[in-house]
Amino acid sequence: MKTFVALAASAAVLLGAAGVAQARGQLIFAPYDAPAVAAAAQAEQRHLLVFTKNGCPVCTRQVVELEKLLATPEFRGLRVWQVDVVKQKALAERYGVTRQSTLVVYDDGRELARRQGVTAAADIAALLRMRA
């Protein structure tokens, strides 16, 4: 039991609080809100949809890196909504997303870029920096 507690504590430190919350199935980002997403698209505001699945280790790493990036001045104003691909399967399919750990960037009212499974901060930042 001591070993399990030590491993769990180590994982919490390595993943950070965001990773632990994600692993428990809690939303890190705002849940998908159709009117808010539509308003952002209509206003041509840059935004990100994060498609996750409870218990997905890749999703957890993405969320941890995204939280760090969103805390920086460069990405602080980016609107982000989270979609659970299991609980909101029809919504994920509407966006053409068939797997968790998918990031989709929108700008000027249209999809700009998408990546699945990317976890390195530099790769996620590059995705968020993409321009039309």
Side-chain angles (χ1 to χ4, degrees), residues 10-127:
S10 297
V13 169
L14 289 173
L15 293 175
V20 172
Q22 176 67 19
R24 291 184 185 152
Q26 298 172 1
L27 284 173
I28 301 302
F29 305 112
Y32 183 87
D33 176 347
V37 172
Q42 186 173 3
E44 299 182 351
Q45 292 177 334
R46 190 172 188 80
H47 59 281
L48 172 69
L49 297 182
V50 180
F51 292 84
T52 61
K53 176 183 169 187
N54 187 28
C56 166
V58 174
C59 301
T60 300
R61 289 194 304 272
Q62 281 182 332
V63 166
V64 169
E65 295 307 321
L66 274 167
E67 281 197 318
K68 291 176 191 173
L69 289 168
L70 294 171
T72 66
E74 182 178 7
F75 301 116
R76 192 168 287 135
L78 183 66
R79 302 284 309 267
V80 181
W81 288 279
Q82 187 168 347
V83 178
D84 183 307
V85 299
V86 173
K87 294 177 183 173
Q88 298 169 293
K89 184 176 180 180
L91 180 62
E93 288 174 351
R94 190 176 93 201
Y95 281 97
V97 173
T98 57
R99 301 192 67 200
Q100 70 269 11
S101 72
T102 301
L103 306 175
V104 186
V105 178
Y106 290 84
D107 199 6
D108 294 328
R110 66 188 197 314
E111 182 178 325
L112 181 61
R114 78 171 50 203
R115 295 276 309 269
Q116 195 272 326
V118 61
T119 59
D123 294 336
I124 295 171
L127 176 71

